[in-house]
Amino acid sequence: MFKAGKVAIIGRPNVGKSTLLNVLVKEKVCIVSEKPETTRDNIQGIISDKEFQVVFVDTPGMHRPKNLLGKLMVRKAQASLTETDLNLVLIDAHSGITKEDIEIFNLMPVKLNILIINKIDGIDRRHILPIIEKARKFNFKEILPISALKKDGIDLVFKKILEYLPEGFPFFPDDQLTDKSESFVVQELIREKTLEITYQEVPHSIAVTVEEFQEKKDRNNNDIIYIRATIYCEKESQKGIIIGDGGKMLKRIGEVSRKDIENFLQKKVFLDLWVKVYKNWRKDPFALKNLGY
Ligand SMILES: Nc1nc2c(ncn2[C@@H]2O[C@H](COP(=O)(O)OP(=O)(O)OP(=O)(O)O)[C@@H](O)[C@H]2O)c(=O)[nH]1
Ligand SMILES: [Mg+2]
């Protein structure tokens, strides 16, 4: 019998949820950054086979929100739990089970939950056992130590998921990788590169929108995708940082983004990138809507 189900990946910010989703579906669907609160939406990543389809749902990190954007993010993460068959709850092996983790454990619906202890690379294995011992007090079906980064322990995670997955029909065509549009992924890739390349104080205030996404011919009559996108920030000073001296920073963001976008779309891309200030957008319901949140 065919098996199909939805599996949410839940946890504090920065524990490696998006990294794990990408590893599980073997493609880059979600953006990753070393800065917390990167993922802002529930993003489905789909893996299909003759015998199964697993729809993984990456979610924003659960945290105490500091603004309306944060509130929306946490609300989305919580909402994902209502439609899943199984949940992966991630913690970071470096910190062990924290107070915040326990708050998240307590939010989990009484259904199948698997605890994943991530980032076990570079940590003394002796530190993992006490975490597992402590985790036994909670109601997890499995407790699995992994390294999403080094792809260590992933086969077992997948095997366990398939064991618990219910019988059912596929949700998506078998060649579909995500529920999000191509322009959503493009927008996220640009945000990822901006986070990677700019300074510490910029990340949370950045949003990216794609205004144009069109197949065109270039001067030599080759097919090309023309993409016009805007990076929004909250202050003039941030705009200055993103553009950089003589436009150097923006040029780099554009170059690195384009490479990733071409990889994702498997087509040549012309990226026309702009920077604009949108004051206090993270607190303004209208602005949030405008920016797609
Ligand atoms: N050492 C190590 N680092 C990891 C591992 N998994 C993820 N990371 C790193 O942890 C950071 C956060 O990873 P993400 O996948 O963006 O984490 P997240 O939980 O999705 O974060 P939010 O979207 O902010 O909630 C990145 O720098 C990753 O490279 C791991 O197994 N080992
Ligand atoms: Mg994430």
Side-chain angles (χ1 to χ4, degrees):
M1 224 356 228
F2 195 86
K3 286 188 153 192
K6 284 197 180 175
V7 181
I9 308 179
I10 294 277
R12 276 191 293 125
N14 220 36
V15 292
K17 298 177 294 298
S18 303
T19 308
L20 178 62
L21 182 136
N22 291 340
V23 172
L24 286 166
V25 302
K26 302 188 173 96
E27 293 278 353
K28 178 155 174 155
V29 177
C30 299
I31 64 167
V32 166
S33 112
E34 60 186 28
K35 288 145 192 156
E37 294 164 45
T38 299
T39 305
R40 291 174 175 168
D41 248 301
N42 293 340
I43 300 168
Q44 304 192 352
I46 306 146
I47 185 151
S48 304
D49 181 270
K50 280 201 288 293
E51 274 130 37
F52 63 81
Q53 181 173 80
V54 192
V55 180
F56 291 101
V57 189
D58 184 22
T59 63
M62 298 263 205
H63 65 285
R64 266 182 227 299
K66 293 176 277 298
N67 50 44
L68 189 56
L69 172 66
K71 267 192 206 150
L72 291 178
M73 285 161 57
V74 174
R75 213 180 287 159
K76 283 177 194 172
Q78 281 178 332
S80 74
L81 296 171
T82 59
E83 53 172 76
T84 53
D85 302 287
L86 169 68
N87 304 304
L88 307 180
V89 184
L90 249 72
I91 61 168
D92 185 330
H94 293 85
S95 51
I97 299 173
T98 65
K99 210 168 85 241
E100 291 79 16
D101 291 326
I102 295 175
E103 283 174 24
I104 297 170
F105 297 172
N106 291 334
L107 283 176
M108 299 310 289
V110 222
K111 55 182 168 190
L112 300 173
N113 299 305
I114 294 179
L115 184 72
I116 308 272
I117 306 171
N118 190 30
K119 308 198 186 183
I120 59 162
D121 53 288
I123 201 170
D124 192 328
R125 299 258 156 172
R126 279 174 306 182
H127 293 314
I128 301 169
L129 212 57
I131 303 177
I132 296 178
E133 281 308 319
K134 189 171 171 190
R136 282 194 215 287
K137 285 190 246 147
F138 302 91
N139 201 11
F140 291 107
K141 289 285 171 199
E142 308 280 343
I143 300 166
L144 305 171
I146 69 157
S147 164
L149 191 71
K150 306 279 182 208
K151 302 191 173 111
D152 183 12
I154 303 299
D155 289 348
L156 185 59
V157 172
F158 209 87
K159 194 172 152 246
K160 289 293 175 191
I161 290 170
L162 288 183
E163 273 176 31
Y164 290 108
L165 210 65
E167 289 179 358
F169 297 102
F171 299 84
F172 295 99
D174 63 2
D175 58 350
Q176 191 168 336
L177 178 62
T178 173
D179 65 323
K180 296 292 184 195
S181 64
E182 284 183 331
S183 66
F184 176 88
V185 179
V186 165
Q187 154 206 310
E188 288 286 89
L189 288 172
I190 297 168
R191 192 161 64 87
E192 180 182 61
K193 299 311 163 207
T194 313
L195 296 184
E196 211 172 279
I197 292 168
T198 56
Y199 295 46
Q200 204 67 38
E201 68 269 28
V202 177
H204 295 309
S205 38
I206 285 175
V208 178
T209 59
V210 168
E211 283 91 32
E212 227 181 304
F213 188 107
Q214 263 191 49
E215 298 222 11
K216 284 191 179 172
K217 298 278 183 196
D218 70 3
R219 268 186 234 113
N220 307 318
N221 211 31
N222 296 316
D223 289 330
I224 192 158
I225 310 249
Y226 170 83
I227 297 172
R228 187 161 52 87
T230 306
I231 303 173
Y232 287 96
C233 54
E234 289 188 314
K235 294 182 195 150
E236 285 298 333
S237 59
Q238 295 168 337
K239 183 175 168 182
I241 293 172
I242 297 167
I243 293 175
D245 273 346
K248 259 194 202 147
M249 186 75 100
L250 186 61
K251 190 160 171 249
R252 245 186 86 208
I253 296 171
E255 279 166 3
V256 188
S257 301
R258 182 176 51 78
K259 279 194 194 122
D260 258 34
I261 297 168
E262 287 182 339
N263 227 341
F264 171 69
L265 297 173
Q266 292 292 307
K267 291 198 180 120
K268 273 220 144 327
V269 164
F270 181 88
L271 182 60
D272 190 7
L273 207 50
W274 297 80
V275 185
K276 285 185 190 158
V277 175
Y278 201 148
K279 287 212 172 78
N280 290 325
W281 67 264
R282 286 177 296 168
K283 295 182 190 147
D284 173 357
F286 181 72
L288 282 160
K289 208 164 180 137
N290 263 343
L291 296 172
Y293 294 111

